[in-house]
């Protein structure tokens, strides 16, 4: 009888342990519904005076984007910094809870560059910019989000709860940063390389794969 009781107690402890483990290991996409994406949803922006093939490559599911600090903007009448970016079109949003997911690779030397952003805000152009400075990720040029990101693939998940005005950033499935957004607007996701206002390296590159959108 004692042995039987001991076995049941052991099973109970194991079950509780597994439950706690599952809670701790929750994925950022849990509870979200995938949003279908096709090639038509990937709108490429690059310096207006060079062919796309000189700033972008898509091979074996990997989208590589690069730009130079002295490149032209994406259109002649723009005063913005150089970029080669993917603009997710067809899924602009202004309410609800939306999530971007992608795996990215940033080579050593790329610095002073936005690799992912939420475009649109009540004031200003963007609600979020994730920038790389010397291998570390920052919120714009301010809060440190993650370190030691050069020369390896890492997963980026960004959840935007528009109704609550909150943005949450996950790196490799771990919550790293929560911030208030910049107010409502016509919102959409972008990724690639967009030179920061200052302290950009001469050459900037990021590669992306398995880009997905989710919503609630």
């Amino acid at each position: 009888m004692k042995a039987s009781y001991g076995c049941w107690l052991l099973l109970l402890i194991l079950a509780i342990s597994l439950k706690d483990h599952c809670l701790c290991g929750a994925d950022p996409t849990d509870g979200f519904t995938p949003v279908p994406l096709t090639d038509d949803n990937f709108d490429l922006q690059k310096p207006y005076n060079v062919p796309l093939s000189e700033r972008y490559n898509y091979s074996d599911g990997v989208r590589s984007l690069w730009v130079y600090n002295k490149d032209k903007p994406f259109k002649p009448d723009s005063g913005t910094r150089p970029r080669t970016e993917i603009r997710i079109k067809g899924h602009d949003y202004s309410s609800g809870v939306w999530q971007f997911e992608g795996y990215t690779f940033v080579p050593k030397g790329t610095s002073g560059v936005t690799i992912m952003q939420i475009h649109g805000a009540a004031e200003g152009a963007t609600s979020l910019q994730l920038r790389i400075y010397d291998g570390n990720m920052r919120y714009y040029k301010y809060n440190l989000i993650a370190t030691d990101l050069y020369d390896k693939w890492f997963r980026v998940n960004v959840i935007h709860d528009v109704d609550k005005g909150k943005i949450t950033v996950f790196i490799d499935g771990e919550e790293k940063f929560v911030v208030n957004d910049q107010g409502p607007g016509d919102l959409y996701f972008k990724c690639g390389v967009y030179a920061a206002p200052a302290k950009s390296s001469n050459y900037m590159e990021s590669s992306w794969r398995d880009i997905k959108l989710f919503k609630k």
Side-chain angles (χ1 to χ4, degrees), residues 12 21 117 154 169 175 185:
L12 179 61
H21 176 76
Q117 60 178 312
F154 60 93
V169 179
E175 182 179 310

Side-chain angles (χ1 to χ4, degrees), residues 97-148:
V97 185
W98 288 76
Q99 180 171 179
F100 170 94
E101 176 181 87
Y103 290 79
T104 187
F105 183 100
V106 181
K108 186 176 181 179
T110 290
S111 189
V113 63
T114 296
I115 63 167
M116 187 272 167
Q117 60 178 312
I118 298 175
H119 194 279
E123 296 184 10
T126 61
S127 290
L128 173 76
Q129 287 190 349
L130 299 181
R131 293 185 189 168
I132 298 295
Y133 288 99
D134 299 320
N136 303 321
M137 180 182 287
R138 292 187 176 273
Y139 169 70
Y140 294 90
K141 63 179 181 179
Y142 305 109
N143 308 64
L144 182 66
I145 296 175
T147 61
D148 191 26

Side-chain angles (χ1 to χ4, degrees), residues 2-18:
K2 288 183 178 181
S4 177
Y5 175 78
C7 289
W8 280 109
L9 183 61
L10 182 61
L11 288 172
L12 179 61
I13 293 172
L14 180 61
I16 293 172
S17 176
L18 287 173

Side-chain angles (χ1 to χ4, degrees), residues 30-203:
D30 288 349
F32 282 79
T33 300
V35 176
L37 292 178
T38 69
D39 285 342
D40 291 337
N41 298 118
F42 293 82
D43 185 37
L44 273 298
Q45 298 177 344
K46 49 81 179 176
Y48 71 83
N49 63 331
V50 297
L52 180 61
S53 61
E54 293 185 11
R55 295 293 184 272
Y56 172 78
N57 181 67
Y58 181 35
S59 177
D60 296 327
V62 176
R63 303 174 187 270
S64 297
L65 309 95
W66 60 95
V67 76
Y68 293 90
N69 192 33
K70 299 299 183 181
D71 273 345
K72 299 292 185 182
F74 75 109
K75 56 184 179 181
D77 59 349
S78 173
T80 59
R81 296 279 284 140
R83 76 185 73 191
T84 306
E85 286 187 297
I86 296 167
R87 186 260 208 242
I88 304 296
K89 69 176 184 180
H91 295 295
D92 295 13
Y93 63 97
S94 58
S95 62
V97 185
W98 288 76
Q99 180 171 179
F100 170 94
E101 176 181 87
Y103 290 79
T104 187
F105 183 100
V106 181
K108 186 176 181 179
T110 290
S111 189
V113 63
T114 296
I115 63 167
M116 187 272 167
Q117 60 178 312
I118 298 175
H119 194 279
E123 296 184 10
T126 61
S127 290
L128 173 76
Q129 287 190 349
L130 299 181
R131 293 185 189 168
I132 298 295
Y133 288 99
D134 299 320
N136 303 321
M137 180 182 287
R138 292 187 176 273
Y139 169 70
Y140 294 90
K141 63 179 181 179
Y142 305 109
N143 308 64
L144 182 66
I145 296 175
T147 61
D148 191 26
L149 296 176
Y150 278 150
D151 294 335
K152 62 184 179 183
W153 286 99
F154 60 93
R155 180 186 176 197
V156 177
N157 291 76
V158 175
I159 297 175
H160 189 185
D161 189 329
V162 182
D163 301 329
K164 292 183 179 179
K166 293 288 185 183
I167 297 173
T168 306
V169 179
F170 298 79
I171 302 297
D172 288 329
E174 180 180 350
E175 182 179 310
K176 291 289 190 178
F177 185 66
V178 181
V179 68
N180 293 332
D181 66 14
Q182 306 294 327
D186 179 21
L187 304 159
Y188 53 86
F189 298 107
K190 303 182 78 177
C191 63
V193 279
Y194 177 41
K199 298 183 178 180
S200 296
S201 55
N202 177 57
Y203 177 80

